[in-house]
Amino acid sequence: MSGKSYHTSNPETEGAIDRNVPDFPIAGQSEEESYFRTHSAPSYLPEIQAQLESFIEYHLKNTGKRIALVTSGGTTVPLENNTVRFIDNFSAGTRGATSAEYFLENGYAVIFLHREFSLLPYSRHYSHTTNCFLDYMVEKDNKIEISPDFAPEMLQVLRKYNAAKSSNSLILVPFTTVNQYLFTLRMGSEALKKMGKNALFYLAAAVSDFFLPQSRMPQHKIQSQASGKLIVDLEQVPKFLSRLVDNWAPRSMIISFKLETDDSILIKKATAALDKYQHQLVIGNLLQTRKKEVVFVKPDSSQDWVRLTDKQVETNVEIESLIIPKVVQEHTLWINS
Ligand code: 9Z3
C-alpha cells in the first residue's frame, strides 16, 4: 500500500474562528467556488497531492492500468473548532472497502479516499468483527499461530493484499470532516485529469448534506450552562457533483450513489440527480436493503436491478462482486464511446 499515513481525526485548532475569512454566503450560483474561498484546506494536503501524483504517474508510465477513485465512509460535521462534538452518519465504509477489492481484482489501480478508521480493503475482514483480533490466533509451542479455523481464508485475503501492495495498486487517502473530504476530492480529481477517460469516480461515501461554516465555528467547547438548549443552524453543503462533472474531471466516468430510506422515491431521486449533474450512472440503494440489492439508473432512463438470490445471501456472496464487473463494463463502453 503506498503512502505515508496521516491522521485526519485530530482537528487543526489553529484555524479557529478567523474573522478575516469572509462569511460563507447563502446558497447561490457559484456556491462551490465560494466554499473554497471561505474555508481552509487541510494543512497536509500538499503532501497527499505529491503522493497521488506519483501514484498516477507510476501507472501511466508503467502499467497502463485504469484508476478508480473510490470514496468511502461517512463524513463528520464538527460543531466546535477544538472538536468535542460533531454530527456523523451511519456509514461504516462497507460498500467502498468491498468495492475497492473487486476493482483491484478486475485490474484497476485504486485511490481509496476513505473516512479514517472506517473499513479498509482486505483488513475489513478482521478489523470490525465482533471477534476480538486475538481470537484469530492460537498459542503453539510457545509461539503464536493463526488458528486453523481461520487460516485458509486468511491466507487468501493475505495473498490478495500482498498482490495489491507489491504492484503499488492501492493508495489510501484519509479524511474525517466534510471539509477535508471536499478539498481532497477536488485535489484528487485535478490530479486524475491526465488519466482522461481511464479514470473512474465511484462515489460511495455518505457525505453530509449540511455543515457549519468555518466563519461561524466556535473556537472552544460549547458550554451547556449558557442557554440550556443547543440550537444548531447548519448550511447546505454545496452540490459538488456538478463541479466534478463539468470542471474537475470532465472526461472521467462518474458514478454517484443515491441513498434513500423510502423506496417510493428512490428512482425519482436517482433520475433527478442524473438530469441535474449530467453524469453517466447513478447507483440507487435503500438503507434497509443495500447489502442485497441496488439499481443502476442511466441517462437513457433504464433501470437495471442487481439482486442477490436467497442462495447467494446464504452463502455470503457480496453484492459488490456483482456490482463491480457491471461497472467495469460500463466504463469500457464509456472509454470506447
Ligand atoms: C451510498 O449510497 C452507499 O452505498 C452507502 C453504503 C453509504 C449506503 P455502508 O458504508 O453504506 O456500506 O454502510 N453512498 C452514497 C450516499 C450519499 O450520500 N449520496 C448522496 C445522496 O444520496 C449523493 S452523492 O444525495
Side-chain angles (χ1 to χ4, degrees), residues 127-240:
S127 60
H128 289 47
T129 71
T130 46
N131 283 351
C132 166
F133 77 98
L134 293 168
D135 291 337
Y136 294 107
M137 294 166 213
V138 287
E139 185 180 341
K140 201 173 161 201
D141 304 332
N142 247 352
K143 288 195 179 125
I144 283 184
E145 278 183 8
I146 300 297
S147 153
D149 295 346
F150 300 106
E153 196 196 310
M154 205 180 274
L155 180 63
Q156 299 305 316
V157 176
L158 181 69
R159 281 186 181 146
K160 290 181 192 167
Y161 169 75
N162 283 336
K165 236 165 77 164
S166 62
S167 60
N168 187 29
S169 298
L170 175 61
I171 184 166
L172 304 180
V173 179
F175 61 81
T176 297
T177 65
V178 68
N179 186 59
Q180 291 168 335
Y181 169 85
L182 293 172
F183 271 96
T184 315
L185 178 65
R186 182 178 70 159
M187 178 276 288
S189 53
E190 297 280 357
L192 273 173
K193 255 188 186 154
K194 10 168 106 156
M195 294 291 303
K197 287 186 158 183
N198 277 343
L200 170 77
F201 287 77
Y202 183 86
L203 306 173
V207 181
S208 174
D209 285 329
F210 303 100
F211 80 116
L212 183 63
Q214 203 178 321
S215 59
R216 291 205 274 113
M217 179 105 66
Q219 165 73 314
H220 291 295
K221 182 180 169 226
I222 299 167
Q223 294 299 309
S224 57
Q225 301 94 314
S227 75
K229 271 189 188 176
L230 177 61
I231 296 169
V232 182
D233 178 15
L234 302 177
E235 300 290 339
Q236 204 174 350
V237 171
K239 298 291 179 202
F240 287 90

Side-chain angles (χ1 to χ4, degrees), residues 30-77:
S30 58
E31 60 215 57
E32 300 89 7
E33 281 108 23
S34 48
Y35 181 91
F36 289 109
R37 267 193 293 107
T38 54
H39 290 82
S40 320
S43 57
Y44 56 78
L45 203 61
E47 288 169 66
I48 290 194
Q49 181 173 355
Q51 287 177 7
L52 266 192
E53 285 172 355
S54 84
F55 180 81
I56 293 165
E57 210 52 46
Y58 174 84
H59 288 289
L60 270 173
K61 285 214 182 97
N62 301 297
T63 68
K65 283 185 178 185
R66 298 176 186 176
I67 298 187
L69 186 150
V70 175
T71 71
S72 183
T75 56
T76 70
V77 173

Side-chain angles (χ1 to χ4, degrees), residues 4-5 10 74 107 113 117 131 141 149 165 176 185 209 218 234 251 259 266 274 276 283 332:
K4 170 181 155 198
S5 52
N10 304 326
L113 180 55
F117 305 128
N131 283 351
D141 304 332
D149 295 346
K165 236 165 77 164
T176 297
L185 178 65
D209 285 329
L234 302 177
R251 296 180 62 219
L259 171 69
L266 180 63
L274 282 173
K276 187 160 176 195
I283 303 181
T332 304

